[in-house]
Amino acid sequence: MEESAAAGQFREDLLFRLNVLPLFIPRLRDRSADIEMLASAFLKKQLEQDIKNEGGPVITPVFSDEALAALKAYHWPGNVRELRNMMTRLSVRLPTGVREISAELIRRLLPKSSSQRAGPVDEGVFIPKGTTLADAEWLLIDAALKQANFNRSKAAELLGIGERTLRRKLNGN
């Protein structure tokens, strides 16, 4: 947003209003431990909404271990919103009376065209086609922070920048 404001494409006064407390929240692909809880909550909410419209008891199925592994292996370019949308698709396509969600069903609902990763890549950083320079920079910073166990001075050293520069970038300056 700062670059857009500097280029005159975004109102600077709005930037100052929105930039009250900058937060760094890791992407969903970097928080795979949260995927099960979020997926279950989104699915339950959607099923409750669907059942409310039809009447009847809400039975929320559980994810099989293989289904959870498939969810965690996907790279979630759309973050939490994409997971929520997928749980909406799942609720619509879920056969009646299913108690456990299979990996096969999850794989059928995951996008086929998007490249998927089985987990973190030690050889480098995955930068999807069409990523802006600013977003690529965030991917690199995020990877360095993870590699350094969120130690900012070590992450800055990995990136070849000063710790103050890293702090400035994290704060959006």
Side-chain angles (χ1 to χ4, degrees):
M1 287 192 300
E2 289 176 348
E3 292 172 5
S4 296
Q9 299 169 338
F10 190 82
R11 287 181 30 203
E12 194 172 25
D13 64 309
L14 288 179
L15 174 66
F16 293 122
R17 289 179 190 180
L18 295 173
N19 198 17
V20 175
L21 180 64
L23 297 175
F24 174 74
I25 300 172
R27 296 176 312 249
L28 183 59
R29 78 184 76 146
D30 301 330
R31 300 178 289 135
S32 63
D34 294 346
I35 290 175
E36 180 178 6
M37 182 265 312
L38 288 169
S40 296
F42 290 143
L43 181 60
K44 181 178 180 181
K45 183 176 180 180
Q46 187 62 44
L47 289 172
E48 286 173 348
Q49 184 178 347
D50 295 344
I51 295 297
K52 186 191 306 184
N53 293 335
E54 295 177 12
V58 176
I59 299 170
T60 306
V62 296
F63 294 93
S64 70
D65 291 339
E66 295 82 18
L68 281 174
L71 287 172
K72 290 178 180 180
Y74 182 65
H75 70 281
W76 300 107
N79 270 318
V80 176
R81 181 173 292 153
E82 183 180 10
L83 177 62
R84 185 188 65 207
N85 292 344
M86 184 181 168
M87 291 304 107
T88 300
R89 283 194 308 275
L90 177 61
S91 74
V92 170
R93 296 180 178 160
L94 197 62
T96 306
V98 170
R99 301 266 182 198
E100 185 176 74
I101 299 167
S102 68
E104 179 186 339
L105 181 56
I106 294 298
R107 285 189 199 105
R108 282 197 323 244
L109 294 175
L110 285 171
K112 304 291 187 250
S113 61
S114 297
S115 59
Q116 297 181 21
R117 295 188 296 161
V121 177
D122 293 333
E123 298 85 41
V125 177
F126 173 74
I127 300 177
K129 181 179 178 182
T131 303
T132 64
L133 180 59
D135 289 341
E137 182 179 60
W138 272 107
L139 291 171
L140 290 170
I141 290 171
D142 183 59
L145 283 167
K146 284 190 300 187
Q147 188 174 348
N149 292 321
F150 294 93
N151 180 316
R152 289 183 182 188
S153 59
K154 289 180 183 177
E157 185 179 322
L158 287 170
L159 292 166
I161 60 175
E163 191 174 348
R164 290 176 65 194
T165 302
L166 177 60
R167 190 174 334 126
R168 196 179 78 245
K169 290 180 179 297
L170 290 172
N171 291 331
N173 297 330

